[in-house]
Amino acid sequence: RLIQFAVDLPLIRSICPGDTVVLDASAAGAETYLWQDGSDQARFKATLPGTYWVQASQGNCIASDTVRVSMTNCNNCISIPNAFTPNGDGNNDVFRPLLHCPVLYYEMKLFNRYGEQMWGSNDPSHYWDGTFKGIKQQVGVYFYLIRVRFDSHWVKEELYKGDLTLFR
């Protein structure tokens, strides 16, 4: 009989100075755990950057995994450009904020000068390409609302409001 037994940690995690990240190695059927520092619980609290590893055992089966924890400067979690040029030249063709910290919640909406919503997304990897209903929008000023909650006790949910200029 083949038993499938595995531990699955994320490849990389980021933490802010002073934060703690809980690494959860819980595996169905695991009888024992061993972390790099000798800890023997399913969960490990990491407070410093570094490489962490865990071994879990179930009878004669051993599963292991490794995660790298990096330190992030969470006082500057977001950078928002104030202009973009969706002209197809491969430079600055889309508008989206640059997020420098892990995100728990994200929402961005873009409006024209009449208050009509032109675009919106809850996915930080999505971006505005300067179109509305498939039509290229005019050169001009547009407005954004970005609501974001970073994965840190340093930063609470924040609302960013501002304008951006679309150039062609």
Side-chain angles (χ1 to χ4, degrees):
R1 180 181 114 162
L2 179 63
I3 297 174
Q4 291 189 350
F5 179 64
V7 174
D8 188 25
L9 295 173
L11 293 176
I12 187 168
R13 284 293 309 258
S14 296
I15 59 174
C16 302
D19 272 358
T20 298
V21 63
V22 177
L23 304 174
D24 189 350
S26 299
E31 298 162 351
T32 63
Y33 295 91
L34 176 64
W35 289 89
Q36 74 290 330
D37 71 343
S39 300
D40 62 359
Q41 301 298 311
R43 292 175 182 83
F44 183 86
K45 292 182 180 180
T47 58
L48 298 172
T51 302
Y52 296 84
W53 59 263
V54 64
Q55 288 183 337
S57 65
Q58 179 185 35
N60 292 331
C61 296
I62 295 175
S64 63
D65 204 357
T66 302
V67 60
R68 187 171 60 91
V69 175
S70 63
M71 192 66 69
T72 301
N73 179 358
C74 293
N75 291 328
N76 297 317
C77 287
I78 188 168
S79 302
I80 304 171
N82 60 5
F84 78 120
T85 57
N87 57 13
D89 68 357
N91 294 313
N92 203 22
D93 282 336
V94 298
F95 172 78
R96 74 171 157 214
L98 301 174
L99 302 171
H100 312 293
C101 301
V103 172
L104 294 174
Y105 174 80
Y106 176 85
E107 176 185 27
M108 181 168 70
K109 295 179 181 179
L110 293 166
F111 303 89
N112 65 16
R113 64 183 175 179
Y114 304 109
E116 180 180 16
Q117 184 174 333
M118 309 296 288
W119 185 86
S121 179
N122 291 95
D123 185 339
S125 68
H126 290 174
Y127 51 82
W128 187 43
D129 63 0
T131 64
F132 179 58
K133 296 182 179 178
I135 299 170
K136 291 181 181 181
Q137 294 304 292
Q138 297 177 7
V139 168
V141 177
Y142 295 82
F143 304 92
Y144 62 80
L145 287 174
I146 300 169
R147 187 177 310 277
V148 63
R149 168 111 171 92
F150 295 103
D151 188 5
S152 166
H153 76 265
W154 287 74
V155 182
K156 304 297 181 211
E157 184 171 293
E158 295 185 16
L159 177 64
Y160 298 88
K161 298 187 251 183
D163 59 80
L164 68 135
T165 304
L166 184 155
F167 295 101
R168 293 259 178 219

